[in-house]
Amino acid sequence: MSTVSTGSVSVSPDARRIWRAARVPVAIVLLLVATAVATVLLSGERASGDLEPTSYEPNGAHALATLLAEQGVRVQTVRTMAEAEKATGERVTLLVTAPDLVEPGRLAGLRNRAGSAVLVEPSQRVLDGLLPGLRATSPVPVQARPPGCADPVAAAAGDAVLGGMRYQAPVTCYDGTLAKLGTDVTVLGSGAPLTNEQLAAQGTAALAMRLLGAQADLVWYLPSPSDPELSRAQRPLTELLPRGWIFGAIQLLVAVLVLALWRARRLGPVVAEPLPVVVRAAETTEGRARLYRRSGAVDHAAQVLRQATIDRLLPSLGLGAGAEPAAVVDAVAARTGHGHAATGELLYGPAPADQAALVRLADALDELENEVGRS
């Protein structure tokens, strides 16, 4: 008889196999990481965003900020209300790129502190609280426009690229996309004339330089929704929605509740569905017993055992399912010869005190059922 050697043979991959399988994916990942790091190092740190003074993107304003700095204007970029209030003064030009994010009362306070102010595309809500003499009208496309006014700043700049919101005011230029209220507040219909993309077109740069370079210092305020000073002034959504919408939502909720109640009363009978797997009765019984034991439900387990024994004894005793306890005790005592008191305590007595007593009760019930069956 020949014997077969059962020496241990390793079936797990060794280091060489793992390296052969993983070297190509690892090389690709390392190449991607190296490319990303090189791109970041070569491009440097560049901000992005509309009218961002350090952004080189078309909608950024790095070109204008650089020109102002070359002309001796100190440009200070601020992003919070606290920084703006600290930096603004009488000999400072204030530029607010998103005035709609600032509460009109706080914005009016900034304007009063500054020597001059330029607001980019303020809405009618801002104008009502800040510049009651201005009215916002329908917008127009961004394109080159003639000044169309006698304002010295616009006249000196000539044609420039403007557009966006139009305004009605005592002094308007460029088809209403530039409005002035006195000598210290200028409103632009859009931020296009300040961007890198449009600054070199015709007299756009001259107009922007004259608007923002009138003072030696320029506070470039970029409001942000994340500013905690501004978030406290924001109104909740329920105050912004029209009352009709809120009333309609309440009616819709009531209708849904009524529909749910109506449908709930028309539920059909319980549908029996087959189990996804076949579970033996012994396993089910054992699992339920373990649950009873884990939860310490001795009284409930005893009640289940007694009721199951009684249900099995009733046909043998000739009694119906609704038999009274006294009739059951009399029939069992007559069949087995046990006393009525002992039989009643076994079938309908108090719950056992502990698990050991529960085991004794189960054995006694099993013996009683066997005696009835033999008699």
Side-chain angles (χ1 to χ4, degrees):
M1 178 184 299
S2 61
T3 60
V4 179
S5 175
T6 60
S8 62
V9 178
S10 176
V11 296
S12 61
D14 55 12
R16 181 176 298 179
R17 294 180 182 176
I18 294 176
W19 167 245
R20 289 178 180 177
R23 59 185 177 182
V24 175
V26 170
I28 294 175
V29 172
L30 291 178
L31 180 60
L32 293 176
V33 172
T35 303
V37 172
T39 302
V40 172
L41 293 178
L42 292 177
S43 62
E45 184 179 357
R46 295 182 180 179
S48 61
D50 293 342
L51 300 182
E52 173 65 49
T54 59
S55 174
Y56 294 84
E57 297 178 352
N59 60 339
H62 178 266
L64 177 58
T66 302
L67 290 176
L68 290 170
E70 292 177 353
Q71 296 298 319
V73 179
R74 291 185 295 271
V75 180
Q76 182 177 355
T77 305
V78 297
R79 305 179 187 278
T80 64
M81 173 59 70
E83 293 175 347
E85 292 176 343
K86 183 179 180 180
T88 304
E90 293 182 0
R91 302 192 178 189
V92 172
T93 300
L94 173 67
L95 169 64
V96 184
T97 61
D100 281 9
L101 297 179
V102 186
E103 195 270 327
R106 305 289 297 274
L107 189 60
L110 282 180
R111 180 184 70 89
N112 294 333
R113 294 163 60 94
S116 60
V118 178
L119 308 180
V120 179
E121 199 176 352
S123 66
Q124 189 61 52
R125 181 182 69 88
V126 175
L127 297 177
D128 292 340
L130 184 64
L131 305 170
L134 291 178
R135 298 291 300 174
T137 61
S138 58
V140 294
V142 175
Q143 63 186 31
R145 303 177 185 277
C149 66
D151 180 72
V153 173
D159 293 355
V161 175
L162 282 95
M165 192 67 66
R166 300 173 62 192
Y167 300 96
Q168 295 178 353
V171 179
T172 58
C173 304
Y174 300 101
D175 196 17
T177 58
L178 185 150
K180 303 195 72 173
L181 190 64
T183 59
D184 59 345
V185 179
T186 303
V187 175
L188 295 176
S190 74
L194 311 181
T195 61
N196 299 326
E197 183 179 16
Q198 304 293 346
L199 190 64
Q202 301 184 2
T204 307
L207 176 64
M209 293 284 291
R210 291 176 182 272
L211 290 176
L212 302 181
Q215 307 286 342
D217 293 280
L218 170 64
V219 174
W220 198 301
Y221 181 25
L222 296 156
S224 172
S226 61
D227 184 2
E229 291 287 334
L230 301 183
S231 61
R232 289 200 296 263
Q234 294 177 355
R235 295 181 295 173
L237 180 61
T238 54
E239 295 184 8
L240 300 177
L241 291 176
R243 293 186 178 272
W245 286 31
I246 299 177
F247 182 70
I250 295 176
Q251 286 187 321
L252 180 62
L253 179 60
V254 173
V256 170
L257 292 177
V258 172
L259 178 63
L261 293 176
W262 173 65
R263 294 296 300 173
R265 299 187 60 183
R266 284 163 171 75
L267 295 178
V270 178
V271 178
E273 296 184 358
L275 294 175
V277 294
V278 177
V279 181
R280 293 183 297 178
E283 295 181 2
T284 305
T285 303
E286 185 178 357
R288 181 176 296 181
R290 288 177 178 176
L291 291 176
Y292 287 156
R293 181 177 181 181
R294 182 180 301 175
S295 61
V298 177
D299 53 346
H300 183 73
Q303 181 181 359
V304 171
L305 290 174
R306 283 168 167 164
Q307 186 63 45
T309 300
I310 293 173
D311 292 340
R312 290 191 296 268
L313 290 177
L314 290 179
S316 301
L317 299 174
L319 300 176
E324 295 292 333
V328 175
V329 172
D330 292 342
V332 171
R335 184 73 64 88
T336 61
H338 296 302
H340 287 75
T343 303
E345 183 177 0
L346 179 61
L347 294 177
Y348 299 101
D354 51 23
Q355 295 185 4
L358 178 64
V359 173
R360 291 193 295 270
L361 174 65
D363 293 338
L365 291 173
D366 187 57
E367 179 62 26
L368 177 65
E369 188 173 352
N370 291 332
E371 290 180 7
V372 172
R374 291 194 300 265
S375 61

